[in-house]
Amino acid sequence: MDALKYILILAVLLWIGLSAWAVMDIAKRATDVKKRQHKTAWTNIVVIFPFLGLLAYGVYGRRTLR
């Protein structure tokens, strides 16, 4: 039972760290008007849909914000 607790804590910390990285990465991207709208959308996606949003941003979102 203790091992499960530690695995859960590690998973939550990993999720929080990846979410923080994604939001900071989004904030560093381009600042023109169209890209700012995309930045807002991607930030909302990452925050509202934690796991799928992180996966989608990693696969597709980073390319759209170049």
Side-chain angles (χ1 to χ4, degrees):
M1 195 63 146
D2 285 335
L4 182 61
K5 181 172 62 171
Y6 291 121
I7 291 172
L8 182 61
I9 290 170
L10 181 64
V12 168
L13 290 175
L14 181 65
W15 167 63
I16 290 171
L18 285 173
S19 295
W21 167 81
V23 170
M24 288 188 299
D25 190 58
I26 292 168
K28 289 189 297 187
R29 299 290 171 166
T31 58
D32 62 329
V33 175
K34 185 177 180 184
K35 298 289 184 178
R36 272 189 276 161
Q37 293 171 348
H38 288 250
K39 286 169 64 168
T40 303
W42 277 112
T43 303
N44 288 335
I45 290 169
V46 166
V47 171
I48 293 171
F49 304 106
F51 298 107
L52 292 176
L54 282 171
L55 182 63
Y57 177 69
V59 171
Y60 182 71
R62 295 191 77 199
R63 287 185 277 173
T64 63
L65 292 178
R66 285 188 194 173

